[in-house]
Amino acid sequence: MSRILALCIALWAVAVPPVWAQEFSGLARIDADDSSVTDAGREDVQIDLGLSQGIPYRLFMLDGPPRLVLDFQEVDWTGLQADDLDRSERVLQAQFGAYVPGWSRMVLELVAPMKVETAALDIDEVTGGAHLSVSLVPETPELFAANAGAPYDPRWDLPEPALIKRPVARGDEAPLVVVLDPGHGGIDPGAEQGEIAEKDMMLTFARELRELLLRSDGFEVVLTRDTDNFVSLERRVSLAYQAGAGVFISIHADSLSEGLAHGATVYVLSRDASDVASAKLAERHDREELLSGMDLSGTDDEVTGVLLDLARQETQPRTEALAKALVGGMTNTGGPMNRRPMRSAAFSVLKAADIPSVLIEIGFLSSPRDFKNLQNPEWRAAIAQGIRNGLQNWREADAAKRPLIRQ
Ligand SMILES: [Zn+2]
């Protein structure tokens, strides 16, 4: 036990042979041909990763679902495909990519609880190349649960979400602070269609929308991420508070096989989803968060939940008016809109209690028509204008209602 624990929390700093030092860029590259996740023996799993140089790494297990998390100093994953890497029947899914700046992460979702039997990083003294070999063996669910959890280390972990404070009260003349939240990022690619990942597409669109809003009067814009990095759902909400957001807009273009998923759709938060497809979409976003190696154990707090629900009831009419205004704006600039353009589900990213928050699927990557539109800068510009017009209309209507609410 103690040996395994020590293995799990230790950090290996590996010196690079000095003769090669000048040739290293500092960024380790993955060698796809030398990397695999395979079944070994009757019950074990063998993980092999080829790297262009030795780098510090750590590994630990997370529960619910059982996952192995491998953190590395930044790795360039170019050339590695999850499907080619994972050849094991005992590993459901492999995911890897950027985590926090300077650090990379790989997460393997396991069929059943396992533990690290051995882990070793070998450096080739001649080439400087490195090989990480990890073997996993079955573990009882009880012991697995007892030992699972992310060790805290400020060098590796996401910053703690900031203390939640209420948005700063502003006069009606003050610019509207719009927090744009490009979906997914880093280790979490979101939906994928061929070479195109939702995370990249949404970052591009968020930047375009930011430019348009800044060129229009009366907006301040903050992005929850402006790079290809992972940002937890909780942190996205906390960033909105930090920015003093007047409005929070999460932007997505997911794949959805259920129902007729095409056309722009605006989602608002609701415990009860408006339809099965919306519920699946919200569940999938939470699941993608888990597969990115988030430790969500013990985050449910029913009392806090009830208090937040009360605050949300007050925000709800403003949120719904915002959603309607956005649907109206996008419809006027050409859509195309979903046949039911306003829907609801329990999206974790929309849980800010007193900031009107919506999630826009500007299209669906799974729809051939939307996929084509999403890659067309002119179409994106029209959708961005629709969102801008919607925000302007909502701001006016909201300001007109304000004095009534305050009395
Ligand atoms: Zn998405």
Side-chain angles (χ1 to χ4, degrees), residues 3 13 64 118 137 139 162 236 250 253 306 370:
R3 190 175 68 85
T118 58
V137 298
E139 172 69 297
R236 290 171 198 259
S250 194
V306 171
D370 290 2

Side-chain angles (χ1 to χ4, degrees), residues 4-193:
I4 305 291
L5 266 183
L7 262 181
C8 290
I9 58 174
L11 189 69
W12 285 264
V14 180
V16 170
V19 64
W20 292 98
Q22 71 276 18
E23 289 184 26
F24 291 118
S25 64
L27 186 66
R29 277 170 289 104
I30 195 87
D31 178 353
D33 295 335
D34 193 26
S35 302
S36 62
V37 175
T38 50
D39 289 336
R42 287 175 55 189
E43 300 182 291
D44 305 347
V45 170
Q46 174 66 33
I47 300 150
D48 289 287
L49 296 175
L51 295 158
S52 60
Q53 67 189 71
I55 42 169
Y57 75 101
R58 69 171 185 178
L59 62 176
F60 57 89
M61 294 289 185
L62 290 178
D63 205 355
R67 285 155 293 159
L68 169 69
V69 180
L70 286 141
D71 283 338
F72 305 88
Q73 205 168 58
E74 203 165 1
V75 171
D76 175 359
W77 303 97
T78 310
L80 188 65
Q81 298 290 329
D83 291 346
D84 296 340
L85 174 77
D86 178 15
R87 294 168 223 157
S88 165
E89 299 281 313
R90 294 156 200 157
V91 174
L92 282 175
Q93 199 176 339
Q95 203 155 316
F96 43 82
Y99 193 56
V100 289
W103 302 98
S104 294
R105 171 167 282 193
M106 174 176 281
V107 182
L108 303 180
E109 187 187 0
L110 309 170
V111 172
M114 304 194 88
K115 66 179 177 185
V116 176
E117 175 78 347
T118 58
L121 184 75
D122 293 321
I123 313 273
D124 186 318
E125 284 186 13
V126 179
T127 65
H131 186 97
L132 177 67
S133 170
V134 179
S135 68
L136 304 179
V137 298
E139 172 69 297
T140 65
E142 294 75 24
L143 281 175
F144 183 86
N147 292 322
Y152 179 72
D153 182 329
R155 285 170 299 179
W156 299 85
D157 295 317
L158 294 171
E160 286 287 309
L163 273 179
I164 286 180
K165 60 171 194 231
R166 291 183 71 86
V168 195
R170 288 162 170 263
D172 291 341
E173 300 306 309
L176 176 65
V177 179
V178 179
V179 171
L180 297 179
D181 175 48
H184 312 276
I187 185 173
D188 170 16
E192 289 172 293
Q193 196 72 258

Side-chain angles (χ1 to χ4, degrees), residues 166-167 170 172 176-177 245-248 268 311-326 342 353-358 390-391 394-402 405-406:
R166 291 183 71 86
R170 288 162 170 263
D172 291 341
L176 176 65
V177 179
V247 164
F248 176 87
V268 297
R312 280 187 201 111
Q313 279 174 19
E314 289 181 19
T315 319
Q316 185 108 358
R318 298 182 66 217
T319 305
E320 282 177 9
L322 172 67
K324 275 191 197 131
L326 291 169
M342 230 181 102
D354 42 14
I355 303 170
S357 303
V358 295
L391 280 170
W394 175 81
R395 180 176 55 188
E396 243 172 68
D398 193 61
K401 278 184 205 147
R402 271 294 166 90
I405 294 168
R406 283 195 191 122

Side-chain angles (χ1 to χ4, degrees), residues 183-184 190-191 198 252-254 285 288 361:
H184 312 276
E198 181 187 357
H252 290 255
D254 285 278
H285 280 145
E288 276 159 0
E361 296 280 349

Side-chain angles (χ1 to χ4, degrees), residues 290-328:
L290 280 178
L291 293 182
S292 304
M294 288 301 290
D295 189 0
L296 299 181
S297 51
T299 50
D300 276 349
D301 180 341
E302 276 193 27
V303 178
T304 316
V306 171
L307 290 174
L308 286 176
D309 277 352
L310 286 172
R312 280 187 201 111
Q313 279 174 19
E314 289 181 19
T315 319
Q316 185 108 358
R318 298 182 66 217
T319 305
E320 282 177 9
L322 172 67
K324 275 191 197 131
L326 291 169
V327 167

